Amino acid sequence: MGPTRKRDLTAATVAAAVVGYLLVILLYGWFPPITLWTGLSLLGVAIAEAGWAFYVRAKINDGHIGDGPGRLHPLSVARSVVIAKASAWVGALVLGWWVGVLAYLLPRRTTLRVAGEDTPGAVVAAASALALVVAALWLQHCCKSPQEPPENGDAATE
């Protein structure tokens, strides 16, 4: 299992933005209000993942991997990589959705009162989704063994 490629996440974000924009054009009238609280759950997950990434990085750098008290089990690190990959994909897709919503709202916020009220919540949600992508990529990076070669060494692996 290789590292998550940023270009794949970008392509997923763009595709989700296009689909999201088209859906918002059709369904915006039925949307509930978008508040500042709408996307904050993603920010909570992003903060938790970033904290776990710093913990894992410290344990790996100190050589505390393996069985025993105070050590981080290798399967925990492997599971962390899986969680990081899944979170990066979820964050990218949700970011695309909110970018699509913002593409609809921003030009209409001066003429459509509801769009003006929904814009701050959509911005917070998009920023929270971006934070999740960044935290997931950081966690994935922190799970690498110090003996692993750098990612930019071989372009054919991407």
Side-chain angles (χ1 to χ4, degrees):
M1 176 168 48
T4 306
R5 296 184 291 202
K6 292 171 190 76
R7 69 175 179 217
D8 292 344
L9 293 176
T10 303
T13 301
V14 169
V18 170
V19 170
Y21 180 76
L22 295 174
L23 285 172
V24 171
I25 287 173
L26 296 173
L27 303 173
Y28 185 67
W30 289 287
F31 275 24
I34 301 171
T35 67
L36 290 174
W37 296 98
T38 301
L40 286 181
S41 61
L42 292 176
L43 185 60
V45 174
I47 291 169
E49 277 195 33
W52 179 250
F54 283 108
Y55 176 76
V56 168
R57 184 177 178 93
K59 289 291 188 177
I60 289 175
N61 287 341
D62 292 343
H64 290 93
I65 301 295
D67 284 334
R71 297 192 171 270
L72 190 60
H73 196 278
L75 284 178
S76 295
V77 177
R79 289 180 183 131
S80 298
V81 171
V82 171
I83 289 170
K85 290 178 82 61
S87 296
W89 281 102
V90 167
L93 292 173
V94 174
L95 174 60
W97 164 258
W98 287 113
V99 167
V101 171
L102 283 169
Y104 179 84
L105 293 178
L106 289 175
R108 292 167 179 81
R109 71 176 192 253
T110 56
T111 58
L112 187 60
R113 181 185 54 81
V114 176
E117 293 170 0
D118 286 348
T119 300
V123 169
V124 168
S128 297
L130 179 60
L132 179 60
V133 172
V134 170
L137 291 175
W138 174 245
L139 175 57
Q140 188 174 351
H141 172 77
C142 289
C143 289
K144 291 189 329 184
S145 170
Q147 294 84 14
E148 287 186 46
E151 292 175 23
N152 59 4
D154 186 12
T157 60
E158 282 194 46

